[in-house]
Amino acid sequence: MQIQWYPGHMHKAGKEIKEILPKTDIVIEVLDARIPFSSANPFLAQLRGDKPCLKILNKSDLADPELTAAWQSYLEREHGVRTLALTSREPDKMRKIAELCRKMLPEQVQNDRIVHALIMGIPNVGKSTLINILAGRTVAKTGNEPAVTKTQQRIAIGNNVVLLDTPGMLWPNIENKNSGYRLAATGAIKDTALHHEAIAAFVAGYLGQHYPACLHERFQLQEIPESADEVLEAIGRKRGCLRSGGRVELDKAAKILLNELRSGSLGRISLETPTMMEKELAEVAVIREQKAEKNRLRKQKRGSSEG
Ligand SMILES: Nc1nc2c(ncn2[C@@H]2O[C@H](COP(=O)(O)OP(=O)(O)O)[C@@H](O)[C@H]2O)c(=O)[nH]1
Ligand SMILES: [Mg+2]
């Protein structure tokens, strides 16, 4: 799946983050708990350096609690990283963020200094909702549209902690093909009509492998077909998405499956694990190396033909 992010946007966001980072004590990275790898910005870790980082696994009401716990311990293996699994359904728990930020910065607290926290994350992970809950009033616009231009805000959230809301935008993990599917499946990026069926087939195949019980319960599938396309077709058949002649209307089946996944009707489902992430990162590294090698060869060839 091809997702276009303009290099100009990336460059601008990177530049803004570099400017603001020295003025901050801690980074709060908001992730989608269902896809903590795919919803992370791949360059943030690098930009952040050794600045402490609190990773919020947000929308945890929609994620598989067991996998969320696994992700938390995995992510916390990194030095300076702490995690919290949160949901806007439990605003009181969200308000613990300020307290944890201070705990992570003993020096700041000892000297009675204000803690400046930079809150970041890709569109649609629930940043604005979280900020409004922490601020105790509406300071950020929520909704599905990512705001492209936005001015920097400073928001006091109690406990002597001030939030800095990033302008510009962060892009998700797009180098990995599966991450593209997961981002589209969760609604983090727009799915066009063209990709609808492919995204739903990806989800159907994944559910067949990792959540067969959900397919049994929700769609009464007795046997789970081998291929992803067949799973989607079986779902469509069970839901009566039939054309005259008995053919399954796949587009309709796709919409049903994606809607039910996104709304949580299928239950609490996570779409990736730390093991999957490590495997995919290794695959991406190989592809990247192959591309670089091809480029080198092409340049060599050009060089020798010119010389
Ligand atoms: N289920 C669920 N939905 C959430 C949660 N937080 C935010 N949302 C929804 O996710 C969408 C995007 O939220 P928003 O705060 O605008 O995300 P932002 O783009 O990161 O600022 C909205 O429809 C919110 O209602 C959550 O914890 N659980
Ligand atoms: Mg927002």
Side-chain angles (χ1 to χ4, degrees), residues 2 12 18 74 92 100 107 125 140 143 182 186 224 270:
Q2 278 291 36
K12 186 163 174 275
K18 269 186 205 147
Y74 179 84
D92 284 341
L100 183 53
E107 204 178 299
V125 288
R182 296 180 193 126
T186 54
I224 313 281
S270 294

Side-chain angles (χ1 to χ4, degrees), residues 297-307:
L297 285 174
R298 197 179 321 134
K299 270 190 193 144
Q300 237 173 35
K301 226 179 183 174
R302 205 183 296 147
S304 64
S305 72
E306 278 168 6

Side-chain angles (χ1 to χ4, degrees), residues 156-173:
I157 59 165
N159 273 28
N160 251 351
V161 177
V162 170
L163 278 188
L164 306 172
D165 185 11
T166 28
M169 57 183 187
L170 286 183
W171 59 99
N173 237 317

Side-chain angles (χ1 to χ4, degrees), residues 30 32 34 57-63 86-90 94 120-133 140-147 150 165 186-188 262-264:
V30 186
D32 184 319
R34 296 166 294 176
L57 279 72
N58 205 28
K59 302 196 184 185
S60 60
D61 55 295
L62 297 172
L86 297 175
T87 155
S88 57
R89 304 218 172 141
E90 294 172 357
M94 284 187 153
M120 291 199 278
I122 67 164
N124 212 35
V125 288
K127 293 180 301 299
S128 299
T129 307
L130 173 66
I131 290 168
N132 289 339
I133 289 172
K141 223 174 122 182
T142 61
N144 282 323
E145 292 306 312
K150 202 167 54 166
D165 185 11
T186 54
R262 289 171 188 162
S263 68

Side-chain angles (χ1 to χ4, degrees), residues 81-299:
V81 171
R82 295 289 304 272
T83 64
L84 278 176
L86 297 175
T87 155
S88 57
R89 304 218 172 141
E90 294 172 357
D92 284 341
K93 211 172 152 196
M94 284 187 153
R95 293 190 198 100
K96 295 221 156 73
I97 286 179
E99 212 178 291
L100 183 53
C101 282
R102 292 192 76 75
K103 261 194 207 144
M104 288 173 72
L105 297 160
E107 204 178 299
Q108 233 72 15
V109 176
Q110 220 166 39
N111 299 315
D112 226 12
R113 283 208 297 263
I114 289 179
V115 167
H116 291 94
L118 182 61
I119 187 158
M120 291 199 278
I122 67 164
N124 212 35
V125 288
K127 293 180 301 299
S128 299
T129 307
L130 173 66
I131 290 168
N132 289 339
I133 289 172
L134 295 178
R137 67 203 154 93
T138 305
V139 291
K141 223 174 122 182
T142 61
N144 282 323
E145 292 306 312
V148 177
T149 46
K150 202 167 54 166
T151 50
Q152 170 99 52
Q153 299 197 80
R154 290 171 55 95
I155 306 139
I157 59 165
N159 273 28
N160 251 351
V161 177
V162 170
L163 278 188
L164 306 172
D165 185 11
T166 28
M169 57 183 187
L170 286 183
W171 59 99
N173 237 317
I174 46 171
E175 214 181 347
N176 176 30
K177 184 175 67 133
N178 288 341
S179 289
Y181 282 119
R182 296 180 193 126
L183 287 158
T186 54
I189 54 177
K190 284 249 149 61
D191 47 346
T192 62
L194 201 71
H195 291 140
H196 228 80
E197 286 175 33
I199 298 158
F202 177 87
V203 171
Y206 176 83
L207 293 176
Q209 280 184 7
H210 300 269
Y211 294 93
C214 152
L215 293 178
H216 286 304
E217 280 161 33
R218 188 79 193 168
F219 302 105
Q220 284 80 47
L221 298 193
Q222 305 310 337
E223 255 170 72
I224 313 281
E226 282 273 318
S227 82
D229 289 336
E230 284 170 327
V231 178
L232 185 59
E233 207 181 313
I235 289 171
R237 205 173 295 282
K238 286 286 181 188
R239 285 297 171 88
C241 310
L242 297 173
R243 266 190 240 277
S244 56
R247 282 220 353 248
V248 174
E249 212 168 326
L250 283 178
D251 182 56
K252 217 170 178 182
K255 280 191 182 129
I256 289 176
L257 181 62
L258 292 177
N259 280 338
E260 296 194 5
L261 174 79
R262 289 171 188 162
S263 68
S265 308
L266 295 183
R268 298 176 69 177
I269 287 167
S270 294
L271 294 173
E272 60 193 14
T273 65
T275 314
M276 286 158 73
M277 172 185 94
E278 293 203 337
K279 185 168 160 266
E280 290 170 16
L281 278 178
E283 286 164 2
V284 165
V286 170
I287 294 171
R288 201 187 294 147
E289 187 45 47
Q290 283 169 346
K291 271 189 195 152
E293 179 63 20
K294 233 189 214 163
N295 264 339
R296 266 199 299 275
L297 285 174
R298 197 179 321 134
K299 270 190 193 144

